Amino acid sequence: MNWGMIGAGIVMGIAAMGSAIGIGIAGQGAIGAWKRCYLNNKPAPFLLVVFAGAPLTQTIYGFLLMNTMRTSGSDPLFLLGLGLACGLSMCMSAIAQGKAGAAGSDALAETGKGFAQYIMVVGLCETIALFSMVFGMIVC
């Protein structure tokens, strides 16, 4: 059994789970905001799709790190630990991003203003996943 390959699979799987949870959270916020717009006969901003889809990128980061880990000659137990740690940080990043996206959807639909500020907060959540991917790729 190659523990390093298990670690490579784990990083992808856990990152994807976080993306799914984050998209679910942000999607609920977007759908609720659209519903409120329709009830109030206001235009429903299509930009809310950006908030809902933002957590998807953590799956891509997990995939990229997985591919780097698969070709790495590092110690298999190190790769297992790296896969767990990076996968969990990407997962939590996606969940936080989903929560920020849900709040951004609510605020933008209510006011029609502030998209740049809201997306910056969503981007800050994204940064954690990017750092995990890049640092993980460097050390393996």
Side-chain angles (χ1 to χ4, degrees):
M1 181 180 309
N2 187 338
W3 291 103
M5 291 300 105
I6 293 172
I10 284 174
V11 73
M12 172 66 194
I14 294 176
M17 284 189 268
S19 288
I21 294 167
I23 289 169
I25 293 167
Q28 289 172 354
I31 289 169
W34 282 325
K35 178 191 77 169
R36 202 170 52 253
C37 287
Y38 294 137
L39 287 173
N40 294 321
N41 292 318
K42 288 175 51 179
F46 183 74
L47 275 177
L48 302 188
V49 171
V50 173
F51 293 126
L56 178 63
T57 55
Q58 280 79 346
T59 299
I60 297 167
Y61 302 148
F63 175 76
L64 293 172
L65 181 54
M66 176 190 71
N67 283 331
T68 302
M69 291 171 68
R70 285 181 45 232
T71 59
S72 171
S74 294
D75 177 74
L77 289 178
F78 171 76
L79 291 175
L80 177 63
L82 182 69
L84 279 169
C86 288
L88 286 172
S89 68
M90 290 176 191
C91 177
M92 297 309 295
S93 168
I95 293 168
Q97 197 172 44
K99 291 177 180 181
S105 290
D106 179 59
L108 183 64
E110 184 77 23
T111 66
K113 300 176 184 176
F115 177 76
Q117 289 88 352
Y118 309 145
I119 203 69
M120 280 191 278
V121 174
V122 169
L124 287 172
C125 298
E126 177 100 8
T127 304
I128 301 304
L130 276 169
F131 284 165
S132 294
M133 178 191 71
V134 171
F135 298 158
M137 291 172 115
I138 290 171
V139 299
C140 73

